[in-house]
Amino acid sequence: MLKFIGKRFLWMIVTLWVIITVTFVLMRFAPGSPLDVDDVGMSEQARANMMAHYNLDQPVIMQYLNYLKNAVTFDFGPSMVTRSREVSDMLASGFPASLQLGLVTLILAVISGIILGVLAALRHNKMIDYVTMFIAIIGISIPNFIQAMLFIQYISTQFDFFPTAQWGTWRHAILPALALASGPIAIIARMTRSNMLEVLTEDYIKTAKAKGLSNFQIVVKHALRNALLPVVTILGVLVASIFTGSFVVERIFAIPGVGQYFVESITNRDYPMIMATTIIYSTIFIIMMFIVDVVYGIIDPRIQLHKKEE
């Protein structure tokens, strides 16, 4: 296990380095600059001073080495837009809200998706099955930012059930979490349902029924564990979609998270902020994929770690 974890950790470092390098190349060679004279109306001398301040006047290879050093130390210097604040301080102030929203969304998506999928499988071709699949289709079909605006219009504004444009208590996270979780809930529910239907026809399930085990024991101890293997596999991707999808949803609900900085940095070509947020969310995605690899082996003892390493 330690050897497996060590190899996966090394691959995490290599993958993160590739992402950092690609981000740097795309940003440096993209047309335009946040310091263009036509954009901000500054003089040539002022522009030259700003280029020197942000090390943009150095050769590309030196900029890249400085960028790697900043990535390791997580010191990206001041923002090119909000020059009075450090990028690290801005992200540190917004990350707790984004993390809280992401965790609430993930828990809601996993628990709701599994429950709906299991109920649909156990009541196959019954009303609850049809309702669950209808909910799944709606969740997949409507983008989360459209759902966010509908929630604000019909749930928050007209009925005043949950507050919006505020942040602080659990009530403020309900609507944005529902908007973000709808897609993952649909995916998990559909996948759990199809896997459960397949597992429930296996011989060992029939044997468990013949032994007189209750339906609860059969589902929880035998069927659900094997049915969740594919769900665990896609959790890493779902986590990435939840956190990256929160950028727009955070803006719609005026949540003081990282999303507001990321959207503004793209619009204003704020290199330090773009690179910092890219590194943060890439790291989250890579760590989640690593956790999925480990959990996958724990859930299914038949999976041999040495086979994965080959």
Side-chain angles (χ1 to χ4, degrees):
M1 176 63 76
L2 291 177
K3 185 178 179 181
F4 168 73
I5 292 176
K7 278 198 169 185
R8 286 295 184 270
F9 182 78
L10 290 177
W11 276 112
M12 285 171 54
I13 300 300
V14 173
T15 304
L16 187 59
W17 171 75
V18 172
I19 293 174
I20 290 173
T21 303
V22 171
T23 304
F24 175 84
V25 172
L26 291 176
M27 292 305 305
R28 283 297 182 268
F29 291 98
S33 166
L35 301 179
D36 284 345
V37 176
D38 293 338
D39 288 347
V40 296
M42 66 174 62
S43 66
E44 287 289 347
Q45 183 59 47
R47 182 176 186 274
N49 293 337
M50 293 300 297
M51 292 282 288
H53 178 71
Y54 288 103
N55 298 320
L56 297 178
D57 60 337
Q58 298 182 359
V60 175
I61 185 63
M62 292 304 300
Q63 295 182 40
Y64 175 67
L65 293 177
N66 288 331
Y67 173 52
L68 286 180
K69 183 189 72 173
N70 294 337
V72 172
T73 59
F74 201 72
D75 181 12
F76 294 93
S79 166
M80 288 184 173
V81 177
T82 312
R83 294 169 186 157
S84 60
R85 297 188 63 186
E86 295 284 326
V87 169
S88 302
D89 295 337
M90 296 170 67
L91 294 180
S93 65
F95 189 72
S98 295
L99 180 62
Q100 182 182 353
L101 176 60
L103 291 177
V104 172
T105 303
L106 182 62
I107 294 172
L108 177 64
V110 172
I111 294 178
S112 301
I114 291 175
I115 292 176
L116 290 175
V118 171
L119 291 176
L122 295 179
R123 298 292 184 268
H124 184 48
N125 289 333
K126 303 261 180 91
M127 180 58 66
I128 190 171
D129 186 18
Y130 299 142
V131 171
T132 300
M133 290 303 98
F134 176 77
I135 294 174
I137 292 174
I138 295 297
I140 294 176
S141 302
I142 304 178
N144 54 33
F145 61 89
I146 298 295
Q147 295 186 44
M149 291 186 286
L150 292 175
F151 288 161
I152 293 175
Q153 176 66 27
Y154 295 104
I155 297 180
S156 178
T157 304
Q158 292 190 7
F159 297 101
D160 198 24
F161 284 163
F162 297 100
T164 56
Q166 302 178 49
W167 190 256
T169 67
W170 65 270
R171 296 178 68 243
H172 301 134
I174 296 298
L175 291 185
L178 283 174
L180 285 172
S182 59
I185 287 175
I187 295 173
I188 293 174
R190 289 172 65 89
M191 185 168 289
T192 303
R193 173 183 177 272
S194 62
N195 294 331
M196 281 291 294
L197 289 175
E198 181 180 350
V199 169
L200 289 175
T201 61
E202 297 290 338
D203 291 337
Y204 67 89
I205 297 296
K206 297 177 182 178
T207 302
K209 291 180 179 179
K211 289 181 178 180
L213 296 179
S214 65
N215 289 333
F216 179 82
Q217 291 176 313
I218 293 174
V219 171
V220 174
K221 292 186 177 181
H222 298 281
L224 188 58
R225 183 170 184 173
N226 290 324
L228 288 182
L229 285 175
V231 175
V232 173
T233 305
I234 66 169
L235 274 183
V237 179
L238 289 180
V239 169
S241 67
I242 287 173
F243 278 96
T244 54
S246 67
F247 292 155
V248 178
V249 174
E250 284 182 16
R251 290 285 290 180
I252 293 174
F253 283 95
I255 297 174
V258 177
Q260 61 177 329
Y261 299 127
F262 185 78
V263 174
E264 292 173 359
S265 67
I266 294 294
T267 304
N268 299 309
R269 289 174 291 188
D270 188 351
Y271 291 164
M273 181 62 71
I274 292 174
M275 293 177 179
T277 51
T278 301
I279 290 174
I280 287 177
Y281 285 99
S282 299
T283 302
I284 292 174
F285 175 76
I286 293 171
I287 290 176
M288 284 306 304
M289 295 304 295
F290 170 76
I291 294 175
V292 165
D293 278 344
V294 176
V295 172
Y296 203 89
I298 294 175
I299 291 180
D300 191 353
R302 296 170 298 178
I303 298 175
Q304 300 296 322
L305 296 181
H306 70 272
K307 291 182 179 180
K308 284 188 173 184
E309 296 171 2
E310 295 177 351

